[in-house]
């Protein structure tokens, strides 16, 4: 998108996952399941799982009347996460040229600069109300990714959205990305975590713990994964601040 637009707006929509379990209507979920190409036996099994459930309240030895359960999915059940995926399957942007990326309960609305005017309409999407869900705007954030320009030709960012915080970095699937499409902050965090663990191990060794006992612990096994992440997120060692030499030096301090 950045090849065609001066900037791209990415809005991280936040829908509380626990509220999805609490407010998901069984009839809505079953209707969406009926439109999916799944075996009839599976659909009937899921329907049977939700049907004929009720609850009551006991207080001081007295029981209330039983009430049918028409919403919610049992938390901790195998069907819970899959139910949300089915529930959010028909969530799509209103404007055709806008994009949307969903992973579990993380939803990202991607709006090119040319469609910047459509952001507010997208946030007023009736999908949440129809599906008995709530968009938590206080936890929804926006980040602007801009195309690289020559000095003096910087792109003016669009006005901020009402009640939506604009941030310079966003964490997606555990990886922090800045508005400059840089992951150096993520690598810094990983290295700081490594340094903290190594400091703890050095302290234990200084107080009499044998080195072979430390090396047999599970923490040093994280080294290969930290190094692989650093390589993937910053490129070759010659092009990044945290190169293989930095990792070797840090390990040498241990």
């Amino acid at each position: 998108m950045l090849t065609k637009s001066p900037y791209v707006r990415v809005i991280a929509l936040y829908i509380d996952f626990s509220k999805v379990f609490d407010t998901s209507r069984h009839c809505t979920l079953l209707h969406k399941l009926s439109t999916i190409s799944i075996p009839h036996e599976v659909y009937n099994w899921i329907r049977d799982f939700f049907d004929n459930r009720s609850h009551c309240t006991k207080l001081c030895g007295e029981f209330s009347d039983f009430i049918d359960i028409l919403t919610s999915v049992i938390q901790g059940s195998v069907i819970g996460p899959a139910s949300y995926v089915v529930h959010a399957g028909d969530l799509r942007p209103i404007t055709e040229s806008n994009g949307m990326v969903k992973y579990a309960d993380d939803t990202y609305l991607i709006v090119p600069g040319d469609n910047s005017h459509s952001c507010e309409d997208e946030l007023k999407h009736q999908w949440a109300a129809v599906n008995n869900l709530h968009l938590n705007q206080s936890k929804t954030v926006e980040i602007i990714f801009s195309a690289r320009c020559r000095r003096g030709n910087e792109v003016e960012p669009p006005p901020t959205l009402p009640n939506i915080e604009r941030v310079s970095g966003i964490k997606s699937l555990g990886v922090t990305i800045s508005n400059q499409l840089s992951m150096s902050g993520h690598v810094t965090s990983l290295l700081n975590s490594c340094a903290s663990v190594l400091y703890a191990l050095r302290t234990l060794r200084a107080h009499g713990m044998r080195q072979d006992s430390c090396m047999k612990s599970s923490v040093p096994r994280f080294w290969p994964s930290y190094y692989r992440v650093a390589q993937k997120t910053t490129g070759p060692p010659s092009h990044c601040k945290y190169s293989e030499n930095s990792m070797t030096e840090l390990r040498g301090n241990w």
Side-chain angles (χ1 to χ4, degrees):
M1 287 186 178
L2 285 176
T3 59
K4 299 179 181 179
S5 301
Y7 59 83
V8 172
R9 306 177 78 160
V10 176
I11 303 173
L13 306 178
Y14 182 86
I15 302 175
D16 192 346
F17 197 48
S18 64
K19 297 295 177 65
V20 175
F21 284 122
D22 296 338
T23 63
S24 174
R25 294 192 186 100
H26 296 168
C27 59
T28 303
L29 176 60
L30 292 173
H31 171 70
K32 292 182 179 182
L33 280 171
S34 67
T35 63
I36 299 176
S37 179
I38 59 175
H40 297 299
E41 296 82 359
V42 175
Y43 174 82
N44 291 332
W45 178 84
I46 296 174
R47 188 181 187 91
D48 184 68
F49 179 81
F50 287 114
D51 280 350
N52 300 318
R53 290 187 177 272
S54 58
H55 72 95
C56 69
T57 301
K58 179 182 178 181
L59 179 63
C60 299
E62 298 292 330
F63 289 87
S64 68
D65 294 334
F66 278 87
I67 302 295
D68 291 335
I69 300 176
L70 303 178
T71 62
S72 76
V73 177
I74 300 174
Q75 295 197 38
S77 62
V78 175
I79 199 173
S83 298
Y84 176 80
V85 173
V86 174
H87 225 71
D90 59 349
L91 173 58
R92 297 180 179 87
I94 298 174
T95 306
E96 184 177 353
S97 52
N98 291 343
M100 184 170 286
V101 178
K102 293 173 285 185
Y103 183 83
D105 59 331
D106 291 334
T107 304
Y108 301 94
L109 174 65
I110 304 173
V111 182
D114 296 339
N115 292 343
S116 186
H117 61 278
S118 67
C119 287
E120 292 193 38
D121 291 336
E122 295 283 4
L123 292 176
K124 295 176 183 177
H125 204 308
Q126 294 299 310
W127 181 88
V130 170
N131 288 273
N132 203 31
L133 299 175
H134 174 66
L135 175 64
N136 192 339
Q137 291 194 0
S138 64
K139 294 187 177 181
T140 298
V141 297
E142 176 193 28
I143 186 171
I144 304 292
F145 295 106
S146 301
R148 293 185 179 181
C149 302
R150 294 181 179 179
R151 186 172 298 179
N153 295 328
E154 287 80 6
V155 178
E156 184 70 22
T160 57
L161 295 167
N163 303 319
I164 302 295
E165 180 186 4
R166 180 171 294 174
V167 296
S168 58
I170 191 171
K171 194 170 187 177
S172 177
L173 302 181
V175 179
T176 303
I177 307 173
S178 75
N179 55 1
Q180 302 298 320
L181 294 177
S182 171
M183 300 181 190
S184 60
H186 181 72
V187 176
T188 300
S189 176
L190 287 177
L191 291 176
N192 288 339
S193 178
C194 279
S196 298
V197 171
L198 292 178
Y199 174 78
L201 290 174
R202 287 199 302 269
T203 302
L204 290 173
R205 191 174 63 177
H207 284 77
M209 187 175 185
R210 295 173 53 185
Q211 181 172 345
D212 57 347
S213 298
C214 292
M215 295 303 294
K216 289 179 181 179
S217 65
S218 60
V219 176
R221 298 176 187 176
F222 293 139
W223 269 110
S225 61
Y226 278 116
Y227 179 57
R228 284 196 298 269
V229 171
Q231 279 191 314
K232 291 181 180 179
T233 55
T234 59
S238 60
H239 292 87
C240 63
K241 180 179 179 181
Y242 304 102
S243 63
E244 185 175 2
N245 292 333
S246 301
M247 304 292 284
T248 304
E249 180 182 354
L250 190 59
R251 184 187 297 185
N253 291 335
W254 147 248

